[in-house]
Amino acid sequence: MARLVAAITALPTAIPLRTGGFVPCPSCDGQVRYDRWHRGASLCCSTEGCCEARFNIAAGAVWPAKRLGAEA
């Protein structure tokens, strides 16, 4: 679970709909692939067994949301 939280934290905030990209994985030497679509998102590290998840997101919601305490 800690690897998943770290991967979500590494994502850019407010990923636009119908986009995706890569960020370095904060837990290993891999790359985290992320994708965003209407009412959903996913992320998956290129390192087997590191982290992977799919999310249901409310229509019109910002994802990932700006974290409390994060600088503007």
Side-chain angles (χ1 to χ4, degrees):
M1 201 60 176
R3 289 179 184 218
L4 180 58
V5 171
I8 294 169
T9 302
L11 296 175
T13 56
I15 298 169
L17 290 174
R18 296 176 296 282
T19 63
F22 292 91
V23 294
C25 182
S27 300
C28 70
D29 291 329
Q31 292 285 311
V32 175
R33 166 78 187 173
Y34 61 88
D35 291 291
R36 174 75 198 272
W37 58 90
H38 180 66
R39 300 185 65 107
S42 68
L43 62 83
C44 181
C45 182
S46 61
T47 302
E48 186 176 340
C50 182
C51 64
E52 181 175 359
R54 290 180 66 113
F55 304 92
N56 291 323
I57 301 169
V62 173
W63 189 85
K66 184 174 176 94
R67 289 161 292 286
L68 293 176
E71 293 184 25

